[in-house]
Amino acid sequence: MIPAAFDYHAPTSLTEATALLARLGEDAKILSGGQSLIPIMKLRLSSPPHVVDINGIPGLAGLREVDGFLRIGALTRESELEESALIRDRYPLLHETSKVIADPIVRNLATVGGNLAHADPANDHPATMLALGAEVVATGPGGERRIPITAFFTGPFATALGPAEIVVEIRVPVPAPRSGGAYVKLERKVGDFATAAVAVQLTLSAAGACEQIGIGLTNVGLTPIKATRAEAALKGKKPDEATIAQAARLAAEASEPAEDLRGSVEYKRDLVRVLTARAVRRAIARAEGRT
């Protein structure tokens, strides 16, 4: 199939883009990487009368550490995360996530901002950003605002963005010493959405206790899930095997999967338990400098 007819707009500034969105309202869709929008338009699951392509707006891509944050431009391609030495060396959770998103062709086009703004609970970055404690920076007719990632996803394919707002940046706190992260994903085949996946980011004290911990779950609920009870089970404690097992059970209890061709509810919950334990152990090893 081919998309229905639409009017194409290519603004060259954020001011022009937000003014267009304010004028066009719900009739407009933003095009960044297009790896979600274009397929659903081709299938006519969505037929927006207007498409606003933001790729011609300067300054919306790039990776840099500034003022205690890794600042990821919204138009940064997934392949840039995958290939960045900064991301590989200092943000292993982000690096692992980027490597398992779809396939190289998709990663060359797909953007980090688009991944989050699409708010598909099966996407990989939402859970990763929950584990990292990120925030989304958006701009609109009323100016710029910073949205904590915990308040960003309001439902399946729904976010806290206003109708004329555009994601311009994602900010991730620079990791403290003795920090580590991991993303563990089970998929039926390379490039598939996860049957389930778990993101973990943690910081260990000098004595080996968990000072900070973030756990995000992928594709086991109507939105990405922050496993807060599992985090609480680890925070302030030395993560021995019994503590890790308890946290893994609590993460499984936090999941709300639906039965589908990828598996039953019971299978997916147990998968969350297993993957959480694996991700925590890998994150600890990285925090301790063992891998």
Side-chain angles (χ1 to χ4, degrees):
M1 296 180 69
I2 60 173
F6 60 88
D7 289 334
Y8 173 79
H9 307 268
T12 57
S13 70
L14 281 172
T15 300
E16 183 185 355
T18 55
L20 264 173
L21 293 171
R23 176 168 61 84
L24 298 172
E26 294 184 357
D27 286 342
K29 289 288 187 182
I30 296 173
L31 173 68
S32 55
Q35 299 307 288
S36 297
L37 178 62
I38 290 174
I40 64 175
M41 287 177 64
K42 288 179 68 175
L43 294 171
R44 301 207 179 188
L45 297 174
S46 178
S47 297
H50 299 270
V51 171
V52 179
D53 185 347
I54 63 172
N55 284 278
I57 301 175
L60 293 185
L63 301 164
R64 56 199 177 109
E65 288 184 328
V66 179
D67 298 330
F69 289 94
L70 169 68
R71 299 172 69 159
I72 306 170
L75 290 182
T76 303
R77 310 293 161 173
E78 300 290 357
S79 58
E80 294 178 58
L81 291 184
E82 184 181 8
E83 296 165 4
S84 166
L86 170 67
I87 300 302
R88 183 182 63 247
D89 296 341
R90 289 177 55 76
Y91 301 87
L93 171 52
L94 275 177
H95 189 246
E96 279 191 341
T97 304
S98 67
K99 291 195 300 180
V100 295
I101 293 172
D103 55 51
I105 295 173
V106 170
R107 294 197 293 271
N108 283 337
L109 292 170
T111 64
V112 181
N115 187 296
L116 294 177
H118 186 52
D120 186 338
N123 278 354
D124 297 286
H125 272 312
T128 292
M129 295 301 177
L130 283 171
L132 287 165
E135 61 182 19
V136 175
V137 182
T139 191
E144 184 176 283
R145 67 185 182 114
R146 295 162 67 168
I147 309 167
I149 196 69
T150 50
F152 187 71
F153 304 107
T154 58
F157 303 97
T159 72
L161 289 172
E165 285 189 313
I166 298 171
V167 175
V168 295
E169 189 174 77
I170 301 93
R171 295 181 183 174
V172 173
V174 171
R178 290 179 58 81
S179 292
Y183 188 65
V184 181
K185 175 180 180 178
L186 181 71
E187 53 194 348
R188 294 180 301 174
K189 58 183 177 61
V190 173
D192 193 13
F193 287 119
T195 302
V198 178
V200 171
Q201 178 72 20
L202 56 77
T203 301
L204 299 178
S205 69
C210 254
E211 285 188 338
Q212 296 292 333
I213 175 79
I215 301 174
L217 311 180
T218 299
N219 209 16
V220 286
L222 294 178
T223 64
I225 293 170
K226 186 170 173 62
T228 53
R229 292 177 62 216
E231 293 169 351
L234 285 163
K235 191 170 182 179
K237 299 176 184 176
K238 288 189 175 181
D240 58 22
E241 281 302 310
T243 306
I244 292 171
Q246 181 190 12
R249 286 193 298 271
L250 291 170
E253 290 177 9
S255 68
E256 299 176 347
E259 183 170 350
D260 58 20
L261 293 175
R262 293 180 176 86
S264 66
V265 170
E266 293 77 12
Y267 168 71
K268 290 182 180 181
R269 282 208 174 109
D270 198 52
L271 186 57
V272 170
R273 179 187 63 82
V274 172
L275 297 182
T276 300
R278 289 180 184 174
V280 170
R281 292 189 195 104
R282 187 181 297 176
I284 291 168
R286 286 176 171 154
E288 294 176 339
R290 292 187 280 115
T291 181

